[in-house]
Amino acid sequence: MEKNTLRYSGIVFLAGASYGAQATTVKITYAAGFTWTQVVASQALFAALLFAVALLVQRARGKRLVPLSLKQTIALLALGLNTCIGTVLYNYALTLLPVSVAITLLFQFTWMGIVVQLVVMRRRPRAAEAAAAAVILGGTLMASGMFSESVGALDPVGIACGLLSAVSCTFFMFFSSRVGRGMPSVQRGLVVCLGACALGFALCPDYFASGVLQDGIWKFGLVLGLCALFVPVALFGIATPHLTPGLAAIMASSELPCGIALSALVLGEPVEGLQVAGVVAILAGIVISQLPHLGRRSP
């Protein structure tokens, strides 16, 4: 068994599952009266604070910081900027589209990751990866509920934002395997989130003056910062250098099953039989992607 591949695949699976809380939390935050720009800024701020606290704890335990060159710092800040751009696009899409449609568009990163692998790395996907991506895409369409009659007409701007958020997510996973490689995950994550904060506060310059923190957005920001930035940024930084972009994208598809489960449990949204079948298909696709790594021994 290729233990390392399975282990790092599992880490990406957990990172994707953590993302599953984003759509539900964002919808709850909107219902509480906050705007998408305030949500974006809150997510970046609290993720940066979580990384800062984690770094202080590590420093108190005697762990030293790794010196960063200007080039490394700029690259990590740019990665954070890209992450925030994806968050902006996805959160804005959620204001224009049903959750099911927005998340389906976001999930196009599954095949986009394989395209990046093919074009940039000039590496053809394994048969298992291609088959897994096809199964997951089919499962995504079923699980999303976008075939429901209640979906109605779709906003073209929302569709464009959803697809562009998938592109941003693809770039994030690809460059996570290359930028800051070998750095401590907490220190790396803090710099990435500072890049996200730069755009977040540029979009919401009156964030602190507006009183949203006193109004309670911190509760939602803490959840979003933890689940949609802190955990994924840390885990992707650990695992993606050891996986192909295609396999990383496939494993991150755990987001949709977790998102559906949370929306049903927290928001009380009904889950249809077709959606359950779609979740099963997604999980089956993830298993298919791991078949080449089962029964082998590491050299």
Side-chain angles (χ1 to χ4, degrees):
M1 179 182 292
E2 294 183 343
K3 293 183 179 179
N4 286 340
T5 299
L6 290 172
R7 178 161 63 93
Y8 290 122
S9 294
I11 291 173
V12 173
F13 181 91
L14 292 175
S18 180
Y19 266 131
Q22 182 173 6
T24 296
T25 307
V26 167
K27 281 294 187 181
I28 293 174
T29 310
Y30 289 162
F34 299 106
T35 67
W36 67 270
T37 56
Q38 293 167 344
V39 171
V40 169
S42 297
Q43 181 172 318
L45 170 64
F46 282 94
L49 290 176
L50 287 170
F51 273 116
V53 170
L55 189 62
L56 288 174
V57 171
Q58 289 186 343
R59 289 285 292 157
R61 292 179 175 178
K63 189 169 184 177
R64 295 183 178 181
L65 297 178
V66 175
L68 291 178
S69 67
L70 179 61
K71 182 179 179 180
Q72 287 176 314
T73 302
I74 292 175
L76 289 171
L77 290 172
L79 183 62
L81 185 64
N82 171 76
T83 303
C84 193
I85 289 173
T87 301
V88 168
L89 292 167
Y90 185 54
N91 285 1
Y92 188 64
L94 285 170
T95 67
L96 302 173
L97 300 172
V99 172
S100 60
V101 177
I103 201 168
T104 300
L105 295 171
L106 173 65
F107 258 68
Q108 303 312 302
F109 71 73
T110 306
W111 63 265
M112 290 179 183
I114 292 179
V115 171
V116 168
Q117 176 179 310
L118 182 62
V119 174
V120 178
M121 301 178 65
R122 299 186 182 280
R123 179 191 178 281
R124 291 184 179 181
R126 291 178 173 180
E129 291 177 357
V135 171
I136 288 171
L137 281 175
T140 300
L141 291 174
M142 292 188 293
S144 66
M146 68 180 299
F147 296 119
S148 172
E149 295 180 358
S150 62
V151 170
L154 301 179
D155 189 303
V157 175
I159 293 174
C161 288
L163 289 173
L164 288 173
S165 71
V167 174
S168 175
C169 187
T170 302
F171 286 156
F172 170 71
M173 285 189 283
F174 178 75
F175 286 109
S176 285
S177 65
R178 285 158 173 74
V179 176
R181 187 167 183 166
M183 283 184 57
S185 59
V186 172
Q187 183 182 351
R188 177 184 180 277
L190 176 58
V191 181
V192 169
C193 287
L194 289 177
C197 283
L199 178 58
F201 291 129
L203 291 171
C204 191
D206 63 341
Y207 179 80
F208 293 103
S210 65
V212 290
L213 288 172
Q214 295 90 326
D215 291 337
I217 200 173
W218 64 268
K219 301 187 294 290
F220 308 110
L222 185 59
V223 174
L224 287 170
L226 176 66
C227 296
L229 271 181
F230 181 83
V231 172
V233 167
L235 296 185
F236 276 129
I238 293 170
T240 52
H242 305 279
L243 302 173
T244 64
L247 183 56
I250 288 169
M251 296 308 300
S253 62
S254 56
E255 175 185 354
L256 184 54
C258 293
I260 290 175
L262 282 174
S263 65
L265 292 172
V266 178
L267 301 178
E269 293 186 357
V271 179
E272 301 176 356
L274 187 62
Q275 290 178 289
V276 175
V279 168
V280 172
I282 291 171
L283 296 176
I286 291 173
V287 172
I288 290 171
S289 73
Q290 295 301 312
L291 291 179
H293 312 296
L294 298 174
R296 292 185 179 181
R297 293 186 178 274
S298 300

